[in-house]
Amino acid sequence: MTPTTAPVPSRSVRMPTAASLAASAAAVDGGVLSRADLAAWLEDRRRAQAQRVERIAFAELDGWAFDDLTGDLRHRSGRFFSVHGLRVSSDFGPVPAWEQPIINQPEIGILGIALRDFDGIPHLLMQAKSEPGNVNGVQLSPTVQATKSNYMRVHGGSEVPYLDCFRRPELGSVVADVLQSEQGSWFLRKRNRNMIIAVGPDVEAGEDFAWLTLGQVNALLREENLVNMDARTVLSCLPDWQAQAVEAVHSDADIRSWITRRRAEHEVRVTAIGLSKTGGWNMGDTEVAHERGQHFSIVAVDVASARREVRAWSQPLLKPHGTGLTALFVRRLRGVPHVLLRARAEPGFVSVVELGPTLQCTPENYAHLPAGLQPAYLDEVLARRAGAVYDVKLSEEGGRFLHAQNHYVVIEIDDDLPLVSDEFRWVSLRQVDELLRYDHHLNVQARTLIAAWRSL
């Protein structure tokens, strides 16, 4: 019998350490690209990736059509995504039952950032990528940002660069690999594989890509609508180089038990219904819109781009009404930084409940409700916002949403803040780092705020 040996990790790959990540975070003007080189590269990519995006009527969509029986909006291939109706009953929030359109995209995509060591400093391979729903064209994206339909080339387009680094990573190269959700109010059970893979010196930056230090990415994260949602969620999964094994207000077991209890006790029932049968929504020639003009609309766009896998296409997009306000309270308890998280139940979550930020809402959607039904801590956030340590408007996913933006706000407090319900807990940043190693614990808005907090 011939003996076998385990595969040997590649010696060309250097895995990051807490010390090397700290050094990368400190390298704001240096590394492979200087600050001036980075600004010039971004400007050059904006010119090269100019996109034409025009609103069109649904009848002008190429390859998309409403189903004759259900009214659901689908692609002729049966892939990509569909838009159908959802009937929801929930004990979370002020409204116990409603109906709404929702994006159904059951495929698990890949969001991945390649990490390479340059003279002891880890660099991230970031992509300049235009999306039809972006407010400003090009944004900083992960190395790979692709649905399964994209990387299986259902659209007949070109191959996704660097895909093999993530589909077939070298042994010993995985820094992070976790399934994470996206917006649970707009997507039905949508998940992506968030990955960070260490690569060797044979991986070089292509024309639309650049090796950036963590410090350079963090600096760009403080600019409006520049680092896209997919990059932010992957960045949050990077091991926290600042996390310390210190005592938190609640033990790890207590936090896990609280999450499990909220998942067991919250009740959210969802039933797929035809889009044409969705109560409170009107289907027109150019949009599917709420009868009060609130929440969001489903619209259609025609796109032409010289730098995408496909040069021209049309598709539906979800267009939010209003700009969201998403805030995180941070406080030192027992000398340890903690964040105030809320166990949120959203209809599209796989696990019923995920931890969201202190506040997550679009205030206009609550304007018709009495004061007692306004979102918890909204008044406190508005009163303290002037002293925020982070307050930046950032875009959501431009491949599915049209001009979706949130004000992301981090507010440090030093006074007692009574918890309004059992849905809230103070969680230490070390505990947050641990939760981010596992599937479906922090929602996409909370992950953005954690990445933002680490960038300060």
Side-chain angles (χ1 to χ4, degrees):
M1 187 174 186
T2 304
T4 59
T5 57
V8 178
S10 171
R11 294 183 179 181
S12 65
V13 173
R14 296 186 62 177
M15 295 293 284
T17 64
S20 67
L21 288 173
S24 184
V28 177
D29 189 10
V32 172
L33 293 182
S34 68
R35 184 179 301 178
D37 290 338
L38 173 55
W41 173 72
L42 281 170
E43 184 57 35
D44 181 67
R45 293 302 87 204
R46 291 186 184 105
R47 289 193 297 268
Q49 294 192 34
Q51 237 181 22
R52 178 190 55 77
V53 181
E54 295 180 353
R55 286 277 302 272
I56 58 174
F58 290 123
E60 298 176 71
L61 283 169
D62 181 16
W64 296 82
F66 291 103
D67 184 272
D68 291 337
L69 294 177
T70 64
D72 293 350
L73 186 54
R74 304 179 185 277
H75 192 263
R76 63 188 171 203
S77 67
R79 301 293 295 273
F80 300 109
F81 64 94
S82 62
V83 183
H84 62 70
L86 198 70
R87 180 176 294 126
V88 184
S89 63
S90 172
D91 61 357
F92 182 88
V95 181
W98 68 92
E99 295 180 1
Q100 66 166 92
I102 199 159
I103 299 173
N104 186 7
Q105 187 174 349
E107 301 176 345
I108 295 177
I110 293 177
L111 307 178
I113 295 179
L115 185 149
R116 176 181 164 188
D117 186 278
F118 288 84
D119 297 325
I121 304 294
H123 284 59
L124 309 173
L125 185 59
M126 306 301 293
Q127 179 182 182
K129 187 179 182 71
S130 58
E131 295 280 7
N134 286 355
V135 296
N136 57 347
V138 168
Q139 294 190 9
L140 202 65
S141 308
T143 314
V144 167
Q145 175 183 319
T147 67
K148 188 173 184 179
S149 290
N150 288 148
Y151 67 72
M152 296 301 291
R153 301 171 69 184
V154 174
H155 49 40
S158 57
E159 294 182 357
V160 177
Y162 306 103
L163 181 63
D164 282 349
C165 294
F166 299 91
R167 296 195 71 190
R168 301 176 184 84
E170 291 190 47
L171 186 67
S173 68
V174 177
V175 179
D177 190 352
V178 60
L179 289 177
Q180 298 286 19
S181 68
E182 298 201 359
Q183 285 83 355
S185 295
W186 295 344
F187 278 118
L188 182 62
R189 301 186 180 97
K190 176 72 170 71
R191 299 179 294 167
N192 278 316
R193 192 176 176 186
N194 286 226
M195 305 179 70
I196 302 173
I197 302 296
V199 298
D202 56 319
V203 177
E204 299 180 351
E207 186 177 23
D208 290 323
F209 299 81
W211 290 107
L212 306 182
T213 66
L214 184 55
Q216 289 174 315
V217 175
N218 284 342
L220 296 177
L221 190 56
R222 295 192 286 273
E223 296 190 26
E224 189 171 288
N225 293 320
L226 186 48
V227 178
N228 82 352
M229 185 196 83
D230 297 314
R232 301 190 307 260
T233 180
V234 180
L235 288 169
S236 75
C237 299
L238 189 69
D240 188 356
W241 62 98
Q242 305 172 86
Q244 298 177 354
V246 290
E247 186 178 1
V249 169
H250 304 288
S251 71
D252 293 0
D254 284 343
I255 292 296
R256 289 193 296 269
S257 177
W258 169 62
I259 296 170
T260 302
R261 179 161 51 84
R262 297 317 309 171
R263 287 175 170 172
E265 294 180 357
H266 269 304
E267 292 189 7
V268 179
R269 295 186 177 90
V270 298
T271 304
I273 58 176
L275 185 60
S276 61
K277 299 176 175 63
T278 305
W281 296 77
N282 300 319
M283 297 183 66
D285 294 336
T286 60
E287 65 177 358
V288 179
H290 190 264
E291 61 188 7
R292 288 198 301 265
Q294 294 178 317
H295 307 299
F296 59 85
S297 297
I298 303 298
V299 301
V301 296
D302 186 71
V303 187
S305 172
R307 301 293 299 183
R308 292 292 298 258
E309 296 91 346
V310 176
R311 298 298 180 93
W313 73 97
S314 58
Q315 68 170 92
L317 289 173
L318 185 152
K319 184 181 186 304
H321 296 179
T323 299
L325 178 58
T326 307
L328 188 68
F329 281 149
V330 180
R331 185 184 177 195
R332 285 190 173 271
L333 297 168
R334 300 179 182 175
V336 178
H338 285 66
V339 293
L340 184 59
L341 299 179
R342 185 180 192 183
R344 295 182 56 87
E346 297 185 16
F349 285 159
V350 172
S351 301
V352 181
V353 164
E354 295 189 13
L355 301 187
T358 313
L359 174 71
Q360 176 186 321
C361 71
T362 300
E364 293 92 328
N365 290 336
Y366 295 84
H368 65 292
L369 296 176
L373 296 180
Q374 295 297 309
Y377 298 116
L378 174 59
D379 289 342
E380 286 83 355
V381 167
L382 295 176
R384 299 170 188 254
R385 186 174 173 184
V389 295
Y390 184 94
D391 191 343
V392 182
K393 187 189 294 183
L394 298 172
S395 299
E396 304 308 321
E397 213 278 307
R400 298 292 176 266
F401 311 138
L402 180 62
H403 298 172
Q405 298 178 92
N406 275 290
H407 289 285
Y408 282 95
V409 181
V410 178
I411 301 172
E412 294 179 345
I413 66 173
D414 57 9
D415 57 323
D416 289 332
L417 188 72
L419 300 188
V420 298
S421 75
D422 188 54
E423 292 169 357
F424 293 85
R425 281 289 186 280
W426 288 104
V427 182
S428 77
L429 290 179
R430 194 270 306 162
Q431 290 171 327
V432 167
D433 185 59
E434 181 69 20
L435 292 172
L436 284 167
R437 301 181 190 186
Y438 303 100
D439 301 350
H440 312 139
H441 278 77
L442 266 70
N443 75 359
V444 68
Q445 292 89 348
R447 297 196 302 272
T448 279
L449 283 164
I450 292 303
W453 169 246
R454 290 176 182 172
S455 74
L456 300 177

